[in-house]
Amino acid sequence: MENKDKRNTASHYFKADSTTIFDELSKGQPEEKETFQNLSSPVEKVSIYFPSTTSFSYINTPTNQPVIETMNIEDNILSDITSSISHISLESDRIYDGWIPSESTKEVLASIIASPGNYKVDKQLLVTPNIAIKEDFRDPIRNLLQNYLGEEAASQRRTLLISSVTQDDRGLRQLVANGCYHAAVNLTTQLLTVYGQGEKRSDQPCKHTVHSVQLWFTRIALLVKLRRFSFAEVECEPFGDLNSPDLYFEFYPEIYGGKKGSMVPFAFRLLAAELPQYLGKHTLALDRLSKVLATCNKIIENLMNGLTEDGSEIYKKEKREECIKVWKLRRLKVLYSLTRCAVSLKDFRLSSTLLQALLKEDKESTSGLFSALGRLCLNLGDINSAQEAFKKHLEHSPTGGNYDPVQGLLHSAFISCAKNDFGNAAQILEQAHKISPENPLVINNLGVCLMFVGKIRDAIRVVEKAIQARPEKFLHEALVLNLSTMYELESSAAQKKKLNLLSLVAGHKGDGFNIAALKLQV
């Protein structure tokens, strides 16, 4: 079939009535001052997720049912961890270090510059972090093996431990690359203790470096990745708004000379602002993210006017354009983060406003954003608006050999699911599976749709075949969770099958795998 025909075939699924929510989204971008109003919506958990690719899950199912979702939930956090560790030992770059200090921090830094070595700083203004976790994390997969299959099976588990790697940044990178996030947290404990920022150090003054701050970011990001949100909140709290004077290079003239700027990675600021939403404090997260966005806007304005990020000096022309590009990309990251938070609140007005802003600013992701918008509409039960958004996705998708018909088939399957027509959705996904037999998202959704039409054994066969053929690729937590649920629905032999799945996970995954997906009692 020609690519053009494929596009036309997909488009027939998206016929809509004349008046939809999508029409409201197309009326134009509200003024920015309206963007962050209406933040008092009730907190409701939904399954939509906005990773950097703008892919969504669309269906909000009870926790005891399988979840139809995207396979992109190895989200921005892991990417930011990897990026941070990769640069952890490198000299900080002037282009990336800019920030606007608070007035109190400006005063302290100005006084230090005026009287180096003689200025006394109030301890209340300084950051004194400490490690809140008093014992090392253990490998949860090994614990499950020991509980269910015995010590012999547990002893055969081969995964990296803190003792398996060098006690430095290289070892930390190795642990993260192998999915051993618990061991990586344990290693950050040792590395931060060397800096005098270990356990019971919350009231002790300490010196910060680019290296130590990046280690803290890596540690807190790992805790979030492991869903240890309360620990992450406690350990992030001493950093406040990440604007204390001792987090700036100027605070240490004896070490950094005349260097200016912040030691804090931008990803750390973003994570600290997002963190409250994982604990149900969505309004606080939106407020913090809005402040980060306001600072990004001000920095871009200063740079456009030929000034440095904080507006204090004239910026050298040769790097200014590169710096503007960096900050515009950072602004986009904040907008995506705000949208994720708004979606989790089911605040449609705010979500749609932010999506409109993204459609204007992130032209390269237009097709993906319309796909995201369609899935958002499905979460809200507005099938007509979803169809309109998916039509827009087709219109903005690449043509010719670059066109991917699988995405259009996925959209049409989602529409059928929203209409409770899982039989039709399964037929559509079977077409997609023939086109792309190793697409994890297609396999996941096909398995769930087959299950919903009562073809549980067929559903199990589809998912098992993929996992057993390519465990390194398909042992994804969403697929494992759905397969475990299918086992429970199929027969009373579910426990034995889940233990076989546990053995497969133990042979291919690090200690960061979420064992809740196996649905075994811990």
Side-chain angles (χ1 to χ4, degrees):
M1 183 183 292
E2 295 295 323
N3 288 319
K4 182 178 180 181
D5 293 333
K6 291 179 183 177
R7 293 166 65 87
N8 290 336
T9 300
S11 66
H12 86 272
Y13 289 103
F14 309 132
K15 296 175 182 177
D17 294 338
S18 57
T19 304
T20 66
I21 293 176
F22 185 84
D23 296 327
E24 296 299 317
L25 299 182
S26 304
K27 289 181 178 178
Q29 173 69 17
E31 293 182 14
E32 189 173 2
K33 65 182 181 181
E34 296 180 357
T35 302
F36 306 110
Q37 296 175 357
N38 192 26
L39 303 185
S40 58
S41 303
V43 176
E44 294 184 48
K45 182 175 177 58
V46 294
S47 59
I48 290 180
Y49 184 73
F50 264 102
S52 57
T53 57
T54 70
S55 297
F56 277 51
S57 61
Y58 89 87
I59 202 164
N60 186 22
T61 57
T63 55
N64 64 336
Q65 293 185 6
V67 179
I68 298 178
E69 63 178 338
T70 69
M71 303 303 293
N72 291 312
I73 57 177
E74 290 296 321
D75 51 43
N76 301 343
I77 294 173
L78 181 57
S79 173
D80 287 337
I81 293 171
T82 305
S83 176
S84 177
I85 299 174
S86 297
H87 295 88
I88 206 165
S89 300
L90 300 178
E91 190 65 29
S92 193
D93 190 326
R94 166 70 185 83
I95 290 177
Y96 301 97
D97 297 337
W99 195 249
I100 301 178
S102 64
E103 290 303 317
S104 59
T105 293
K106 282 181 182 178
E107 290 178 11
V108 171
L109 296 179
S111 299
I112 290 173
I113 292 171
S115 305
N118 297 320
Y119 185 76
K120 301 294 182 182
V121 183
D122 184 352
K123 289 184 180 180
Q124 299 294 325
L125 299 176
L126 305 181
V127 173
T128 55
N130 85 123
I131 289 169
I133 303 170
K134 297 182 179 180
E135 57 188 47
D136 284 349
F137 283 127
R138 297 184 64 187
D139 177 3
I141 298 176
R142 180 185 173 86
N143 291 344
L144 271 186
L145 288 168
Q146 191 170 22
N147 291 342
Y148 283 96
L149 300 176
E151 184 59 45
E152 183 178 352
S155 65
Q156 294 175 2
R157 162 91 162 139
R158 295 289 179 266
T159 189
L160 290 178
L161 305 172
I162 188 172
S163 58
S164 309
V165 300
T166 55
Q167 309 299 287
D168 54 18
D169 303 332
R170 184 178 64 176
L172 192 55
R173 285 194 293 271
Q174 192 175 355
L175 290 172
V176 171
N178 284 273
C180 298
Y181 307 141
H182 287 96
V185 172
N186 295 338
L187 183 52
T188 61
T189 299
Q190 292 194 15
L191 297 177
L192 287 166
T193 299
V194 173
Y195 275 102
Q197 298 177 14
E199 188 184 345
K200 297 180 181 179
R201 302 288 298 180
S202 59
D203 59 345
Q204 302 297 317
C206 59
K207 286 187 177 181
H208 302 286
T209 66
V210 171
H211 185 253
S212 68
V213 173
Q214 287 181 319
L215 277 174
W216 273 111
F217 162 63
T218 300
R219 178 182 176 85
I220 292 167
L222 284 166
L223 290 172
V224 171
K225 187 74 179 67
L226 291 168
R227 300 170 180 82
R228 302 297 184 106
F229 303 126
S230 296
F231 281 138
E233 182 183 45
V234 169
E235 296 200 348
C236 193
E237 186 176 2
F239 288 94
D241 61 358
L242 294 165
N243 215 348
S244 299
D246 54 338
L247 297 177
Y248 285 80
F249 295 109
E250 296 97 309
F251 192 82
Y252 308 99
E254 71 282 5
I255 299 175
Y256 296 106
K259 185 173 177 61
K260 294 185 177 182
S262 173
M263 300 178 185
V264 179
F266 183 76
F268 194 176
R269 296 187 187 279
L270 201 54
L271 179 63
E274 289 178 334
L275 184 53
Q277 72 177 297
Y278 304 126
L279 292 151
K281 305 172 186 177
H282 293 78
T283 302
L284 177 59
L286 287 169
D287 182 56
R288 289 182 178 180
L289 287 165
S290 299
K291 289 178 180 177
V292 174
L293 181 63
T295 303
C296 289
N297 288 336
K298 183 61 180 175
I299 288 173
I300 292 170
E301 179 185 342
N302 288 338
L303 290 168
M304 296 289 284
N305 290 329
L307 303 174
T308 52
E309 291 88 345
D310 62 0
S312 62
E313 301 175 22
I314 303 296
Y315 204 123
K316 292 181 180 179
K317 187 175 181 180
E318 61 270 16
K319 282 198 171 185
R320 190 166 65 88
E321 290 302 319
E322 186 179 351
C323 201
I324 290 171
K325 183 179 179 180
V326 166
W327 281 100
K328 285 185 174 180
L329 288 173
R330 288 177 169 181
R331 172 185 160 82
L332 276 177
K333 280 193 171 186
V334 182
L335 286 172
Y336 277 110
S337 185
L338 276 162
T339 310
R340 286 196 297 270
C341 192
V343 167
S344 69
L345 263 175
K346 298 189 81 172
D347 188 331
F348 175 71
R349 179 169 179 262
L350 177 58
S351 304
S352 62
T353 300
L354 288 164
L355 276 169
Q356 290 176 63
L358 286 166
L359 282 166
K360 283 190 172 184
E361 295 198 26
D362 193 3
K363 299 294 187 183
E364 293 182 1
S365 301
T366 298
S367 63
L369 284 165
F370 276 117
S371 174
L373 178 58
R375 301 186 194 199
L376 172 61
C377 291
L378 287 178
N379 258 270
L380 296 163
D382 189 342
I383 296 175
N384 290 329
S385 292
Q387 290 171 321
E388 285 288 345
F390 290 154
K391 283 174 63 178
K392 289 287 186 180
H393 164 81
L394 282 174
E395 292 171 8
H396 290 86
S397 294
T399 57
N402 293 324
Y403 174 64
D404 179 13
V406 171
Q407 188 61 60
L409 291 170
L410 281 167
H411 288 163
S412 60
F414 292 159
I415 292 290
S416 292
C417 289
K419 295 176 178 178
N420 289 320
D421 190 352
F422 290 98
N424 189 51
Q427 291 177 12
I428 295 168
L429 289 166
E430 283 171 350
Q431 295 178 45
H433 192 222
K434 290 178 182 177
I435 297 170
S436 183
E438 291 199 348
N439 186 315
L441 179 54
V442 171
I443 292 167
N444 186 50
N445 289 329
L446 175 57
V448 173
C449 288
L450 288 170
M451 187 209 69
F452 274 122
V453 297
K455 297 180 178 180
I456 296 177
R457 291 186 178 177
D458 288 343
I460 290 173
R461 176 182 51 78
V462 167
V463 179
E464 272 189 343
K465 182 179 178 181
I467 288 177
Q468 291 170 0
R470 297 275 306 274
E472 71 284 354
K473 178 176 182 178
F474 292 108
L475 273 176
H476 187 282
E477 291 165 7
L479 274 169
V480 171
L481 173 61
N482 286 343
L483 184 56
S484 298
T485 303
M486 293 170 194
Y487 286 153
E488 292 176 344
L489 294 170
E490 181 205 19
S491 71
S492 58
Q495 183 82 342
K496 181 179 179 181
K497 293 185 176 183
K498 287 193 285 186
L499 291 178
N500 290 336
L501 195 54
L502 167 61
S503 297
L504 197 61
V505 169
H508 292 88
K509 305 300 288 187
D511 67 32
F513 186 86
N514 183 12
I515 59 172
L518 290 161
K519 304 187 77 172
L520 291 167
Q521 188 172 0
V522 180

